[in-house]
């Protein structure tokens, strides 16, 4: 059997289900940077970001079956969960989403470091090319957790424009990955 | 049949980001339960959000975070699932001592039970096990010591580099610092405003220093712009000159990987602007 660091996510999760601590460490090594970075971007506080990191990985340890690979890329999934948990922490709310409820139609294999890095570069390049208002609106919604009404109030843009900007920004991201 | 209300496609990204009011979240959740098409679109949106999340600047978590997690993990050790144990379990009767019958007239002694045969060796087996464990622990200890030494060396290097960077930053930002712009000693007229940018696109790192700037009204500010090869100018920080006309912008928040063709400085209302206002006071092409 290859070392845990070379195993795919599904196999590592299966090992975690059997109580394999080495597999858990490998998942941490693979995804902790993304989970922590997203939390830090939202919370802007290293200690709070680490709390989110610990909470998410302990959840994997306690119920790995909730993260089965058929729900899409584990890396992408963790990045979104990290954002949602961090926004909850910002709002001082209890975690809202149940892990079982979210499925990703992810075309990327984020378990592979090279693919993950290439996706990061691509996503950043797309974001930079977006019109400034669209990029700002998307970041305010995603990383700052501002509702469309709050964004409309802050920017003076109509509600409908804010909603459309968010959706079309995401579509631009998707198109860039499909091309 | 439950009537499926039309789902506004603009609402789904907000739903995925949990930004709708609670009652709308609930309503959409129940609509999605009856809409496979809606769930498919939602899965695609989650995937887009995953890509968006990866645009955050990447930072390594603190080194101690891994240790903390593994400590928690060890504290909540799991029992292997029952099925797994069953797979490797040996039926109990194979270990049970065999019952034999014999009479006092038997010439051969009664065969010893499994326990009787194994017990005398048990002590040796345990001692051998302990010995092997001690050797493994010794080796592991050696490896750990080596790792700790490597980490310490890396830490020392990182600390030295951080100290150096911090010294550079504080020198640039220190209001008590003395600034001088060196020019031809024969220059007759007062020196014109000028600025110098150092920009590393791959890291999004930028340093800007300007001199001989004219003072501004309190409600105005200078703003620095990065003009990318593609796309709109990006604001790179506002600044005001000191009484000697000197100003600097150090490491403003900029995305990584944006190639710049030029840089510019404009005068904007206090607080800065998202788009540059003419005229451009200072400009220069990226060389």
């Amino acid at each position: 059997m290859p070392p845990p660091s070379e195993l795919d996510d599904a196999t590592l999760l299966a090992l975690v289900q059997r109580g394999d601590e080495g597999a858990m460490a490998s998942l941490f090594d693979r995804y902790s940077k993304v989970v922590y970075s997203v939390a830090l971007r939202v919370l802007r506080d290293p200690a709070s970001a680490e709390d989110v990191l610990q909470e998410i990985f302990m959840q994997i340890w306690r119920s790995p079956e909730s993260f089965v690979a058929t729900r899409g890329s584990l890396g992408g999934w963790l990045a979104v969960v990290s954002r949602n948990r961090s926004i909850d922490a910002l709002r001082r709310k209890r975690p809202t989403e149940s892990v079982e409820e979210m499925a990703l139609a992810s075309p990327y294999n984020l378990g592979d470091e090279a693919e993950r890095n290439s996706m990061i570069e691509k996503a950043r390049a797309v974001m930079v090319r977006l019109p400034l208002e669209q990029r700002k609106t998307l970041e305010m919604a995603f990383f700052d957790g501002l509702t469309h009404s709050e964004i409309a109030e802050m920017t003076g843009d109509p509600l409908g424009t804010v909603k459309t900007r968010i959706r079309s920004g995401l579509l631009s991201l998707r198109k860039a990955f499909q091309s | 049949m439950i009537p499926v209300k039309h789902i506004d496609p603009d609402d789904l990204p907000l739903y995925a980001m949990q930004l709708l009011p609670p009652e709308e979240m609930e309503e959409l959740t129940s609509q999605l339960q009856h809409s496979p098409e809606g769930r498919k679109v939602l899965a695609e949106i989650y995937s887009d959000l995953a890509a968006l999340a990866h645009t955050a600047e990447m930072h390594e978590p603190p080194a101690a975070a891994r240790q903390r997690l593994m400590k928690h993990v060890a504290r909540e050790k799991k029992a292997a699932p029952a099925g797994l144990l069953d797979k490797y379990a040996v039926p109990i009767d194979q270990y049970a001592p065999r019952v034999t019958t014999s009479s006092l007239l038997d010439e051969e002694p009664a065969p010893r039970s499994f326990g009787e045969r194994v017990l005398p060796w048990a002590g040796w087996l345990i001692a051998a096990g302990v010995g092997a464990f001690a050797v493994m622990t010794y080796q592991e200890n050696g490896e750990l010591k080596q790792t700790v030494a490597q980490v310490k060396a890396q830490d020392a290097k990182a600390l030295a580099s951080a100290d150096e960077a911090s010294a550079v930053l504080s020198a640039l930002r220190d209001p008590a610092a003395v600034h001088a712009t060196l020019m031809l000693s024969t220059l007759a007229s007062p020196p014109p405003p000028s600025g110098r940018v150092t920009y590393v696109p791959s890291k999004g790192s930028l340093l800007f220093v300007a001199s001989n700037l004219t003072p501004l009204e309190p409600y105005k500010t200078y703003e620095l712009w990065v003009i990318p090869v593609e796309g709109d100018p990006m604001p790179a920080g506002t600044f005001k000159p000191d009484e000697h006309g000197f100003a600097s912008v150090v490491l403003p928040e900029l995305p990584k990987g944006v190639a710049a063709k030029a840089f510019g400085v404009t005068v904007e209302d206090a607080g800065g602007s998202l788009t540059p206002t003419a005229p451009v006071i200072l400009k220069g092409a990226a060389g």
Side-chain angles (χ1 to χ4, degrees):
Chain A
M1 193 157 161
S5 57
E6 288 173 21
L7 297 173
D8 63 26
D9 292 346
T11 312
L12 286 175
L13 283 172
L15 288 169
V16 168
Q17 221 163 343
R18 293 180 192 178
D20 188 321
E21 293 175 27
M24 189 64 213
S26 292
L27 283 177
F28 183 86
D29 293 341
R30 197 171 285 176
Y31 294 120
S32 59
K33 191 172 173 181
V34 167
V35 172
Y36 178 75
S37 300
V38 173
L40 189 61
R41 171 70 176 80
V42 173
L43 294 163
R44 295 162 200 267
D45 172 45
S48 311
E50 201 200 316
D51 286 347
V52 170
L53 174 76
Q54 297 283 342
E55 186 195 318
I56 290 174
F57 277 93
M58 277 314 288
Q59 194 178 348
I60 298 183
W61 176 246
R62 286 172 190 142
S63 41
E65 61 282 356
S66 313
F67 296 79
V68 283
T70 50
R71 294 199 169 271
S73 144
L74 178 65
W77 198 96
L78 285 170
V80 180
V81 170
S82 177
R83 178 267 175 194
N84 288 354
R85 288 291 160 83
S86 304
I87 297 289
D88 286 341
L90 264 188
R91 296 176 186 159
R92 306 210 180 282
K93 270 172 61 181
R94 288 176 66 79
T96 40
E97 99 271 323
S98 145
V99 287
E100 293 83 2
E101 283 170 10
M102 204 165 78
L104 263 82
S106 181
Y108 339 108
N109 171 19
L110 296 176
D112 179 76
E113 196 179 354
E115 202 167 322
R116 191 162 65 233
N117 289 339
S118 136
M119 196 209 69
I120 290 173
E121 291 299 317
K122 221 173 190 180
R124 283 185 183 155
V126 176
M127 285 299 281
V128 166
R129 282 201 300 269
L130 286 183
L132 189 63
E133 292 77 16
Q134 198 172 41
R135 171 156 57 94
K136 287 275 170 205
T137 307
L138 203 50
E139 286 178 342
M140 284 163 106
F142 188 73
F143 287 116
D144 300 326
L146 295 174
T147 65
H148 54 298
S149 321
E150 288 166 332
I151 297 172
E153 205 172 299
M154 285 174 79
T155 57
D157 294 319
L159 267 180
T161 308
V162 172
K163 285 167 90 171
T164 308
R165 267 185 198 153
I166 292 173
R167 179 165 161 252
S168 50
L170 289 178
L171 281 175
S172 303
L173 259 178
R174 191 182 309 165
K175 272 185 204 151
F177 282 101
Q178 285 166 349
S179 61
Chain B
M1 172 106 183
I2 298 165
V4 179
K5 215 174 120 186
H6 171 71
I7 297 174
D8 180 353
D10 280 349
D11 278 344
L12 282 175
L14 300 173
Y15 175 85
M17 288 190 265
Q18 304 176 351
L19 296 177
L20 292 173
E23 61 278 11
E24 285 183 40
M25 287 292 289
E26 259 175 51
E27 192 187 341
L28 207 42
T29 302
S30 93
Q31 283 178 29
L32 284 165
Q33 276 170 357
H34 307 288
S35 168
E37 184 56 31
R39 287 200 299 274
K40 193 177 153 223
V41 175
L42 186 65
E44 285 168 349
I45 290 172
Y46 278 127
S47 183
D48 300 336
L49 293 179
L52 178 57
H54 280 80
T55 61
E57 193 173 338
M58 291 294 141
H59 298 272
E60 287 292 347
R66 190 181 195 269
Q67 278 177 321
R68 266 195 285 278
L69 178 84
M70 295 319 291
K71 216 185 264 181
H72 283 150
V73 161
R75 216 178 294 151
E76 292 188 25
K77 250 187 194 319
K78 296 179 186 193
L84 198 68
L85 289 175
D86 293 343
K87 193 176 161 189
Y88 297 106
V90 179
I92 195 80
D93 57 354
Q94 287 185 18
Y95 282 130
R98 285 182 196 143
V99 179
T100 54
T101 52
S102 65
S103 76
L104 291 171
L105 296 173
D106 288 342
E107 285 183 11
E108 294 286 324
R112 287 187 298 167
S113 70
F114 178 81
E116 280 170 331
R117 277 182 283 129
V118 166
L119 272 179
W121 292 97
W124 290 107
L125 284 172
I126 291 167
V130 170
F133 177 73
V135 170
M136 276 165 60
T137 310
Y138 177 77
Q139 280 176 341
E140 220 168 79
N141 193 23
E143 282 166 18
L144 279 174
K145 274 185 182 162
Q146 212 176 338
T147 311
V148 168
Q150 280 171 354
V151 170
K152 273 187 179 166
Q154 281 169 359
D155 271 1
K157 208 173 156 190
L159 271 177
S161 156
D163 283 348
E164 204 180 333
S166 159
V168 171
L169 285 180
S170 58
L172 278 168
R173 288 172 171 158
D174 194 336
V178 175
H179 305 286
T181 308
L182 306 184
M183 267 172 280
L184 277 177
S185 55
T186 50
L187 205 65
S189 54
S194 65
R196 187 173 186 84
V197 172
T198 305
Y199 176 57
V200 186
S202 61
K203 295 179 179 166
S205 307
L206 182 147
L207 292 174
F208 170 75
V209 285
S211 49
N212 306 314
L213 292 172
T214 47
L216 293 174
E217 300 294 334
Y219 53 88
K220 290 283 182 188
T221 180
Y222 285 107
E223 187 156 14
L224 175 66
W225 300 91
V226 175
I227 297 144
V229 174
E230 279 177 34
D232 301 324
M234 296 189 307
T238 57
F239 57 92
K240 289 199 171 187
D242 62 14
E243 67 270 31
H244 306 294
F246 180 85
S248 65
V249 176
V250 180
L251 301 177
E253 198 179 314
L254 288 173
K256 288 180 184 173
V258 182
K261 64 177 177 196
F263 302 90
V265 171
T266 58
V267 174
E268 306 291 346
D269 288 335
S273 166
L274 291 176
T275 48
T277 309
V280 181
I281 306 292
L282 294 175
K283 61 182 174 183

